[in-house]
Amino acid sequence: MQLFTCPFCGPRPETEFHFGGDAGNARPGAEASAIDWTDYLFFRHNRKGVAREIWMHMSCREAFLMERDTVTHAVTATHALGSEA
Amino acid sequence: MTRHYSALSVLKEGMCGQKGWAQAWRSPQPAKRYAVVIIGGGGQGLATAYYLAKTHGVKRIAVIERGWLGGGNTGRNTTAIRSNYYYPESTELYDLSLRLYETLGRDLNYNIMLSQRGMMQIVSSPGEMEMAARQVNAMQLNGVQAELLDRAEVQRRVPIYNYAPDARYPVYGAIFQARAGIARHDAVAWGYARAADALGVDIIQQCEVQGFVVEGGRCVGVQTSRGEIRADRVGMAVAGSSGVMAEKAGFRLPITSYTLQACVSEPVKPIFDTVLVSPMTGAYVSQSDKGEMVIGGGLDRVPSYGQRGNLPQLETVLSGVLEMFPIFRQLRLLRQWGGTVDVTPDSSPIFGESPLPGLYINGGWGTGGFKAIPAGGTLFAHILASGGHHPISAPFDLNRFRTGHLLDEAAGAGIAH
Amino acid sequence: MSGWRTQTGWALDRCQSLTFTFDGKTIPALKGDTVASALLASGQRIVGRSFKYHRPRGFWGVGSEEPNGIADVLGAQHRPNVQMTLEPAVQGLCLQSINGHPSAEHDRMAFLDRFSRFIPAAFYYKTFMLPDWHLFEPRIRAMAGLGRLDPAAQGFGPSVPINATCDVLVVGAGPAGLAAARDAAKAGRKVILCDEGLRAGGSLLYRPARIDGQEGRDWAAAMGADLASLGVRILTRTTAFGRYDHGLTGLAEAQPGTAAPRIWRVRAAETILATGAIERSLPFANNDLPGVMSAEAGLHYLNRFGVAVGRRVVIATTNSSAYDTARALQQVGAEVTLLDLHGRSDAGQHPFRVIAAQPIETALGRRQVEAVRLTSGERIEADTVLVSGGHTPSVHLYSQAQGRLRWDESLQAFLPGDPVLGLCVIGAAAGVFDLSRILPGQGVEATSHGGNAAVWPKPMAKGRIWLDMQNDVTAKDVELAHRENLTSVEHLKRYTTLGMANDQGKTSNLPGLALMAELTGRTIPETGTTTYRPPFTPVPLASFAGLRGGQFMNPVRRLPLEAEHRADGALFREYGGWLRPAWYGADESAVLREAKAARQGVGLFDGSPLGKIEVIGPDAAKFLDFIYYNTMSTLKLERCRYGFVLTEGGAVYDDGVLVRLDENRFIVSCSSSHVQGMGFLLEEWRQDSFDRSRVVIHDTTANYATLTVTGPKSRELLQAVGFAALDDLPHMALTFSQFEGIEVRITRVSFTGDRSYELSIRADHALGLWRRLKEAGRAFAAVLLGGEALMILRAEKGYIVVGKDTDGRTRPMDLGVYGPFEKRKGEYLGRRSLHLPAVADQARDLVGLESLTAAVLPVGAHVVETVGGKRRSRGFVTTSHYSPNLNRPIAMGLVEGGSTRVGEIVTLYHLGQQVQARIAPVCALDPKGRLLDA
């Protein structure tokens, strides 16, 4: 059981969280090319090692940014959205 | 040296202390150059090498493996083999695989212990029975034998299941594919490795690919921990490392890697004779020839390359198993482990040339690569030999994630595979 | 007969004797015995058979490392594969050995051992291929497996897992663990101490030692009392079975009675592993014979359980620890010969014969040890051979915590290498074996361990040297794996099954590894180490499940009015996670009756699970324009609009009615099964793409009950109840009223095609309103509608249920809604995906399907066409009923090109049968919608 620190609720068990995808995967505008759109929709960094991801804490329903290592599972930081340093 | 495997040769070797057996495969030094280099010595990579040599007559093939062959998902999965798919494209692929499996032991001269004990998918509500009918009809139309069983028939075939009136998920019936079953996973990897080696394929273990050699925008080889190795075509079949290889090659894939856990109970005498899955509990079980209950479930919720088990998913899966089989309350857990699976948006695999010309992909199998090893190898060998798709592999090209032609079994059948 | 009862054994209560049975034989025991100690005391040597060669096997160890002494506990709470070394002897226990046919003592399969040369490791990969594996598999399966399950018996009962946090978790209550727990507790830290044994003390419970002038065992007891007074939580019979991410340690605590061991999920700031070490065997031929045991186990049985394991005992050791065993056995009258392999020959100092540097070549005997022959050729008669090849530290949990092991050449052992944050390994687990070093400055008097030399099996040795006794793996099998180039550790393990048995290779992994290193000319660390997968010892599946089972597994959501519906005779079924009335009445015939009565008069339906997610704020309209496929900002106040929500991939995710309460406040009435999903979807996009201060989401679904009144008499009924002024309420509009002073929100929307009203009221006031509706309804012959009747009513109208009439490829155009796709200007969820090439290729249309006979079409049947001799699916039936209002079957389905094929006859395929159907408009009843205002 991993513990993730929700910026609003503090450390909570992993079962309360939902993975929201790579941070910075911005949604292209309405007239996006098929490549840009499908890049956004389907293609992923899938980093081995340190990754920056969006997560939602399902208990408080707040999304936030988390930096963690996908191998060791060490969590280095969590930030409320808009507050990331 | 005894090379051929048979009851007679085992007897003969028994008379002389089993001392005459030849190596199952060599441990060659890598050459500087090959016609085809395949990254990844798992089932898919080894099968690809075997069919390249056997079917296409390609000489000078190398399989490069970072660790030991068969050590990734091939040696970590729950060994189920089936072709109970909804879409014709999926059926073509997985039923080809099942047909190849049916003769594989004799083809490779290696007993892979294919046990066609059938797979039963429990249906737990009237609404699901309708979906199950849609699935069974699709399978039959796709030319795959399938049965829709009613509750009484399920009870006759699997008497130890939970038929209590207050069961959380009552049994209304089941989808049954009689030809499905299990096989010995290590034997599949070893059988292909031995047969490929006999055809001259160099299987190079303990050799890590660190980068790609690119000339004129084309992949012409790999940099490895044991030096540069050049090749006319490079294939990658690296379940659990597709993202890493893609990053080295400079592109992204529609893949997210997750841990898939599995576990086994301690071994007991035979009590259960099929592969059974309950979509409602998300758990599936079979009993290995050794007697262990081999148990699996859904993906962990956290993307990971960790290759290790954890408690939340284990607890969910095991509570599901006990709801399904109250008698397993007598059993204890013996081992728990995890593998890294590469999951695509439609949970179907990816075949074909990558965005880096000269580099080809066989990957994205998610939780289902083992059952597809013979077909995956056959099709990938075709691609690497010809540079183009086999008709069966064409729908699985990476380009489907540009056009939207996804092959999502969950979308069609309402049940994820 | 070899073992006997001595006057030693502090754990026994000699006043309380008891009996149990083993393979039908009555075994006397004393309270305090384990099954193993009692069997040994009674002289029972053969306690099991090996699974492959059916070799006779006796006890090797005394604890969880035991590979041989496994039996099924029979009875009402049947337990297979119990390690008898860990099982307390209790009156009436009934044990059955494994793999003995009929008993361990007399096994008619024993002849298999004579054929062992033909069935070495992995022989099954080389044969059984012709004609087919299926021919051989049943017999092979029957031979494999250890114990049996009993279909008539109960398993482990449930137990509740505990989450615990502490400053320090100490695993192992031997001298090192006790001292560490004391230090931590004295420093004011919150400590949990666990040990798999019956009581704290570890090696002090059987090894002679004095600490601070006290007997070691007394010191341990005093420490235990001290720790308890310091507030340390001491958990005995508790195994730390696994170490998981973020510092979590899993413990399994044995429970009294039939309950499964309780799982503790312990999160400690620091975990101290004082897990000790396991004694290694020595490689000589026939080292699996009953009577060959761990020297430490011999001492343990004697001092704790009062059992001398033999009368003529040969002890072979690489280290000094076995001298304790020799002395103790000699004192109780056994004839002891000690083989000091390390070469010490301080003859004369000991009251027993010591032979230096003469290893055993072979144990002799057929059913048990009768003698040993040394490499010098000397034969020594013996009924028991106790061996110590040093100790292997138990580093499982450190390894599971991603710690990297390092090889210690002098100790011939893998030890913890790099430090792991929050983890500390001490005592024998860290390779510190001497008590004086574990408890420095505490006046320790104890035998020094004297090094930890190992004797590893050598290639080409004569005879069969056993490495893994449970899985019948010998040194020759390792040599075979090497010969065939399966030389990596994992290949070795999998090919030979070394270390894959119930004991998880606690005694067998390292010798196998060492032999492979020797064969390949590599060092042991170069050869590698295996992964230590949890659990450390087997843990019942029921422990992990905890209370999750039956109604506590994925609990259903329940209606506020469930009791009332039950009183009205409702049959409940689960729909989308909610337990809801399927129909009211004794049998399914009620469904048609309900569906018919509702269209003729009025029907009452409990629609409480219907989603009621409020979207509030100045940007709410803009936000909903993005969320919905349809433009929603143009919706007038107190009006409702039907719409779709798509996935970003363009498929229909949900449909439902949006209600505009006022300028900045909406209610999303999503499907009951999508309430949670829609809640997250709305939050996700609100936070991703909108100003969070200008739109908020508030899910009120559970706050309100929603009661639906539908049918031509619905307005009259409501008026009779006291809801006046409904005359002016048009279809798809909203008004507020009151019931007994409580606000009722009334929306006029219809899922039946008839005039319908949905009444939403605070859930705690719903019962009064529902009863009033039923009472007043009598005058209108009102009928209670279950979910199944509602399905018919909506199907008559061609209204869809997402997930039933759609699949993951269904786009809104497939449902006939082209407007936004063709004309909408603004951006919305999934929009760009609707323009990907696949959308046109995968298009199907929702159509009606008419049966050409009186038979109802089967749901799940496929519309088929024959292409090139092959039948191909062109769609499928999604919904099908007998309509009591049209008096004929009705159906809907998704069919390729369906909307242009109305009137066409198509072929349906269902489970081997073919039937024909006519494509029809999707709406079968009242296509003009006149009933809405009837």
CSV table of all heavy atoms in Angstrom, one decimal, chain C residues 5-41:
chain,number,residue,atom,x,y,z
C,5,ARG,N,11.7,-39.6,25.3
C,5,ARG,CA,11.3,-38.5,26.2
C,5,ARG,C,12.4,-38.4,27.3
C,5,ARG,O,12.7,-39.4,27.9
C,5,ARG,CB,9.9,-38.8,26.7
C,5,ARG,CG,9.2,-37.6,27.3
C,5,ARG,CD,9.0,-36.5,26.4
C,5,ARG,NE,7.7,-36.4,25.8
C,5,ARG,CZ,7.3,-35.4,25.0
C,5,ARG,NH1,8.1,-34.5,24.6
C,5,ARG,NH2,6.1,-35.4,24.4
C,6,THR,N,12.9,-37.2,27.5
C,6,THR,CA,13.9,-37.0,28.6
C,6,THR,C,13.2,-36.2,29.7
C,6,THR,O,12.0,-35.9,29.6
C,6,THR,CB,15.1,-36.2,28.0
C,6,THR,OG1,14.6,-34.9,27.7
C,6,THR,CG2,15.7,-36.8,26.8
C,7,GLN,N,14.0,-35.9,30.7
C,7,GLN,CA,13.4,-35.1,31.8
C,7,GLN,C,13.6,-33.6,31.6
C,7,GLN,O,13.2,-32.8,32.4
C,7,GLN,CB,14.1,-35.5,33.1
C,7,GLN,CG,13.7,-36.9,33.6
C,7,GLN,CD,12.2,-37.2,33.6
C,7,GLN,OE1,11.5,-36.4,34.3
C,7,GLN,NE2,11.7,-38.2,32.9
C,8,THR,N,14.3,-33.3,30.5
C,8,THR,CA,14.4,-31.9,30.1
C,8,THR,C,13.1,-31.4,29.5
C,8,THR,O,12.1,-32.1,29.5
C,8,THR,CB,15.6,-31.7,29.1
C,8,THR,OG1,15.3,-32.5,28.0
C,8,THR,CG2,16.9,-32.1,29.8
C,9,GLY,N,13.2,-30.2,29.0
C,9,GLY,CA,12.0,-29.7,28.2
C,9,GLY,C,11.1,-28.8,29.1
C,9,GLY,O,10.1,-29.2,29.6
C,10,TRP,N,11.5,-27.5,29.2
C,10,TRP,CA,10.8,-26.6,30.0
C,10,TRP,C,9.4,-26.2,29.5
C,10,TRP,O,8.5,-25.8,30.2
C,10,TRP,CB,11.6,-25.3,30.2
C,10,TRP,CG,11.9,-24.6,28.9
C,10,TRP,CD1,13.1,-24.7,28.2
C,10,TRP,CD2,11.1,-23.7,28.1
C,10,TRP,NE1,13.0,-24.0,27.0
C,10,TRP,CE2,11.8,-23.4,27.0
C,10,TRP,CE3,9.8,-23.2,28.3
C,10,TRP,CZ2,11.3,-22.5,26.0
C,10,TRP,CZ3,9.3,-22.4,27.4
C,10,TRP,CH2,10.0,-22.1,26.2
C,11,ALA,N,9.2,-26.5,28.2
C,11,ALA,CA,7.9,-26.0,27.6
C,11,ALA,C,6.7,-27.0,28.0
C,11,ALA,O,5.6,-26.7,27.7
C,11,ALA,CB,8.0,-25.9,26.1
C,12,LEU,N,7.1,-28.2,28.5
C,12,LEU,CA,6.1,-29.2,28.7
C,12,LEU,C,5.4,-29.1,30.0
C,12,LEU,O,6.0,-28.7,31.0
C,12,LEU,CB,6.7,-30.6,28.6
C,12,LEU,CG,7.4,-30.9,27.3
C,12,LEU,CD1,8.0,-32.3,27.3
C,12,LEU,CD2,6.5,-30.7,26.1
C,13,ASP,N,4.1,-29.4,30.0
C,13,ASP,CA,3.4,-29.5,31.3
C,13,ASP,C,3.2,-31.0,31.5
C,13,ASP,O,2.3,-31.6,30.8
C,13,ASP,CB,2.0,-28.8,31.2
C,13,ASP,CG,1.2,-28.9,32.5
C,13,ASP,OD1,1.6,-29.8,33.3
C,13,ASP,OD2,0.3,-28.2,32.7
C,14,ARG,N,4.0,-31.6,32.3
C,14,ARG,CA,4.0,-33.1,32.4
C,14,ARG,C,2.7,-33.7,33.0
C,14,ARG,O,2.5,-34.9,33.0
C,14,ARG,CB,5.3,-33.6,33.1
C,14,ARG,CG,6.5,-33.4,32.2
C,14,ARG,CD,7.8,-33.7,32.9
C,14,ARG,NE,8.9,-33.2,32.0
C,14,ARG,CZ,9.4,-33.8,31.0
C,14,ARG,NH1,9.0,-35.0,30.7
C,14,ARG,NH2,10.4,-33.3,30.3
C,15,CYS,N,2.0,-32.8,33.6
C,15,CYS,CA,0.7,-33.2,34.3
C,15,CYS,C,-0.4,-33.4,33.2
C,15,CYS,O,-1.4,-34.0,33.5
C,15,CYS,CB,0.3,-32.3,35.3
C,15,CYS,SG,1.5,-32.1,36.6
C,16,GLN,N,-0.2,-32.8,32.1
C,16,GLN,CA,-1.3,-32.8,31.1
C,16,GLN,C,-0.9,-33.6,29.9
C,16,GLN,O,-0.2,-33.1,29.0
C,16,GLN,CB,-1.7,-31.4,30.7
C,16,GLN,CG,-2.3,-30.6,31.9
C,16,GLN,CD,-3.0,-29.4,31.4
C,16,GLN,OE1,-3.9,-29.5,30.5
C,16,GLN,NE2,-2.7,-28.2,31.8
C,17,SER,N,-1.3,-34.8,29.9
C,17,SER,CA,-1.0,-35.6,28.7
C,17,SER,C,-2.2,-35.7,27.8
C,17,SER,O,-3.3,-35.4,28.2
C,17,SER,CB,-0.6,-37.1,29.1
C,17,SER,OG,-1.6,-37.6,29.9
C,18,LEU,N,-1.9,-35.9,26.6
C,18,LEU,CA,-3.0,-35.9,25.6
C,18,LEU,C,-2.6,-36.9,24.4
C,18,LEU,O,-1.5,-37.3,24.4
C,18,LEU,CB,-3.3,-34.5,25.0
C,18,LEU,CG,-2.0,-33.7,24.5
C,18,LEU,CD1,-2.0,-33.9,23.0
C,18,LEU,CD2,-2.1,-32.3,24.9
C,19,THR,N,-3.5,-37.1,23.5
C,19,THR,CA,-3.2,-37.9,22.4
C,19,THR,C,-3.7,-37.3,21.1
C,19,THR,O,-4.7,-36.6,21.2
C,19,THR,CB,-3.8,-39.3,22.5
C,19,THR,OG1,-5.2,-39.2,22.6
C,19,THR,CG2,-3.2,-40.1,23.7
C,20,PHE,N,-3.1,-37.6,20.0
C,20,PHE,CA,-3.6,-37.2,18.7
C,20,PHE,C,-3.3,-38.4,17.8
C,20,PHE,O,-2.6,-39.3,18.2
C,20,PHE,CB,-3.0,-35.9,18.2
C,20,PHE,CG,-1.5,-35.9,18.0
C,20,PHE,CD1,-1.0,-36.3,16.8
C,20,PHE,CD2,-0.7,-35.5,19.0
C,20,PHE,CE1,0.4,-36.3,16.6
C,20,PHE,CE2,0.7,-35.5,18.9
C,20,PHE,CZ,1.2,-35.9,17.7
C,21,THR,N,-3.8,-38.3,16.6
C,21,THR,CA,-3.5,-39.5,15.7
C,21,THR,C,-2.7,-38.9,14.5
C,21,THR,O,-2.9,-37.8,14.0
C,21,THR,CB,-4.8,-40.2,15.2
C,21,THR,OG1,-5.5,-39.2,14.4
C,21,THR,CG2,-5.6,-40.7,16.3
C,22,PHE,N,-1.8,-39.8,14.0
C,22,PHE,CA,-1.0,-39.5,12.8
C,22,PHE,C,-1.1,-40.8,12.0
C,22,PHE,O,-0.7,-41.9,12.4
C,22,PHE,CB,0.4,-39.2,13.2
C,22,PHE,CG,1.3,-39.0,12.1
C,22,PHE,CD1,1.3,-37.9,11.4
C,22,PHE,CD2,2.2,-40.1,11.7
C,22,PHE,CE1,2.1,-37.7,10.3
C,22,PHE,CE2,3.0,-39.9,10.6
C,22,PHE,CZ,3.0,-38.7,9.9
C,23,ASP,N,-1.6,-40.6,10.8
C,23,ASP,CA,-1.8,-41.7,9.9
C,23,ASP,C,-2.6,-42.9,10.6
C,23,ASP,O,-2.3,-44.0,10.4
C,23,ASP,CB,-0.5,-42.3,9.3
C,23,ASP,CG,0.0,-41.4,8.1
C,23,ASP,OD1,-0.8,-40.5,7.7
C,23,ASP,OD2,1.1,-41.7,7.7
C,24,GLY,N,-3.5,-42.5,11.4
C,24,GLY,CA,-4.4,-43.4,12.1
C,24,GLY,C,-3.8,-44.0,13.4
C,24,GLY,O,-4.4,-44.8,14.1
C,25,LYS,N,-2.5,-43.6,13.6
C,25,LYS,CA,-1.8,-44.2,14.8
C,25,LYS,C,-1.9,-43.2,16.0
C,25,LYS,O,-1.8,-42.0,15.8
C,25,LYS,CB,-0.3,-44.3,14.4
C,25,LYS,CG,0.5,-45.3,15.2
C,25,LYS,CD,1.7,-45.7,14.3
C,25,LYS,CE,3.0,-45.3,14.9
C,25,LYS,NZ,4.1,-45.6,14.0
C,26,THR,N,-2.2,-43.7,17.2
C,26,THR,CA,-2.4,-42.8,18.3
C,26,THR,C,-1.0,-42.4,18.8
C,26,THR,O,-0.2,-43.3,19.1
C,26,THR,CB,-3.2,-43.5,19.4
C,26,THR,OG1,-4.5,-43.8,18.8
C,26,THR,CG2,-3.4,-42.5,20.6
C,27,ILE,N,-0.8,-41.1,19.0
C,27,ILE,CA,0.5,-40.6,19.4
C,27,ILE,C,0.3,-39.9,20.8
C,27,ILE,O,-0.5,-39.0,20.9
C,27,ILE,CB,1.1,-39.6,18.4
C,27,ILE,CG1,1.1,-40.2,17.0
C,27,ILE,CG2,2.4,-39.1,18.9
C,27,ILE,CD1,2.1,-41.3,16.8
C,28,PRO,N,1.0,-40.3,21.8
C,28,PRO,CA,0.9,-39.6,23.1
C,28,PRO,C,1.7,-38.3,23.0
C,28,PRO,O,2.7,-38.2,22.4
C,28,PRO,CB,1.5,-40.6,24.1
C,28,PRO,CG,2.5,-41.4,23.3
C,28,PRO,CD,2.0,-41.5,21.9
C,29,ALA,N,1.2,-37.3,23.7
C,29,ALA,CA,1.9,-36.1,23.8
C,29,ALA,C,1.7,-35.4,25.1
C,29,ALA,O,0.8,-35.8,25.9
C,29,ALA,CB,1.4,-35.2,22.6
C,30,LEU,N,2.4,-34.3,25.4
C,30,LEU,CA,2.2,-33.6,26.6
C,30,LEU,C,1.8,-32.1,26.2
C,30,LEU,O,2.2,-31.7,25.1
C,30,LEU,CB,3.5,-33.5,27.4
C,30,LEU,CG,4.0,-34.8,28.0
C,30,LEU,CD1,5.4,-34.7,28.6
C,30,LEU,CD2,3.0,-35.3,29.1
C,31,LYS,N,1.1,-31.5,27.1
C,31,LYS,CA,0.8,-30.1,26.8
C,31,LYS,C,2.1,-29.3,26.6
C,31,LYS,O,3.0,-29.5,27.4
C,31,LYS,CB,-0.1,-29.5,27.9
C,31,LYS,CG,-0.6,-28.1,27.6
C,31,LYS,CD,-1.7,-27.8,28.5
C,31,LYS,CE,-2.4,-26.5,28.0
C,31,LYS,NZ,-1.7,-25.3,28.3
C,32,GLY,N,2.2,-28.6,25.6
C,32,GLY,CA,3.4,-27.8,25.3
C,32,GLY,C,4.2,-28.4,24.1
C,32,GLY,O,5.0,-27.8,23.5
C,33,ASP,N,3.8,-29.7,23.8
C,33,ASP,CA,4.5,-30.3,22.6
C,33,ASP,C,4.0,-29.6,21.3
C,33,ASP,O,2.8,-29.2,21.2
C,33,ASP,CB,4.1,-31.8,22.5
C,33,ASP,CG,5.1,-32.7,23.1
C,33,ASP,OD1,6.3,-32.4,22.9
C,33,ASP,OD2,4.8,-33.7,23.7
C,34,THR,N,4.8,-29.7,20.3
C,34,THR,CA,4.3,-29.6,18.9
C,34,THR,C,4.0,-31.0,18.4
C,34,THR,O,4.5,-32.0,19.0
C,34,THR,CB,5.3,-28.9,18.0
C,34,THR,OG1,6.5,-29.7,17.9
C,34,THR,CG2,5.7,-27.5,18.5
C,35,VAL,N,3.3,-31.0,17.3
C,35,VAL,CA,3.1,-32.3,16.7
C,35,VAL,C,4.4,-33.0,16.4
C,35,VAL,O,4.6,-34.2,16.7
C,35,VAL,CB,2.2,-32.2,15.5
C,35,VAL,CG1,2.3,-33.5,14.7
C,35,VAL,CG2,0.8,-31.8,15.8
C,36,ALA,N,5.4,-32.2,16.0
C,36,ALA,CA,6.7,-32.8,15.6
C,36,ALA,C,7.4,-33.3,16.8
C,36,ALA,O,7.9,-34.4,16.8
C,36,ALA,CB,7.5,-31.7,14.9
C,37,SER,N,7.4,-32.5,17.9
C,37,SER,CA,8.1,-33.0,19.1
C,37,SER,C,7.5,-34.3,19.7
C,37,SER,O,8.2,-35.2,20.1
C,37,SER,CB,8.2,-31.9,20.2
C,37,SER,OG,7.0,-31.6,20.7
C,38,ALA,N,6.2,-34.3,19.6
C,38,ALA,CA,5.5,-35.5,20.1
C,38,ALA,C,5.8,-36.7,19.2
C,38,ALA,O,6.0,-37.9,19.7
C,38,ALA,CB,4.0,-35.3,20.2
C,39,LEU,N,5.8,-36.5,17.9
C,39,LEU,CA,6.1,-37.6,17.0
C,39,LEU,C,7.5,-38.1,17.2
C,39,LEU,O,7.8,-39.3,17.3
C,39,LEU,CB,5.9,-37.2,15.6
C,39,LEU,CG,4.4,-37.2,15.1
C,39,LEU,CD1,4.3,-36.4,13.8
C,39,LEU,CD2,3.8,-38.6,15.0
C,40,LEU,N,8.5,-37.2,17.4
C,40,LEU,CA,9.8,-37.5,17.6
C,40,LEU,C,10.0,-38.3,18.9
C,40,LEU,O,10.7,-39.3,19.0
C,40,LEU,CB,10.7,-36.3,17.6
C,40,LEU,CG,11.0,-35.7,16.2
C,40,LEU,CD1,11.6,-34.3,16.3
C,40,LEU,CD2,12.0,-36.7,15.5
C,41,ALA,N,9.3,-37.8,20.0
C,41,ALA,CA,9.4,-38.5,21.3
C,41,ALA,C,8.8,-39.9,21.2
C,41,ALA,O,9.3,-40.8,21.9
C,41,ALA,CB,8.6,-37.6,22.3
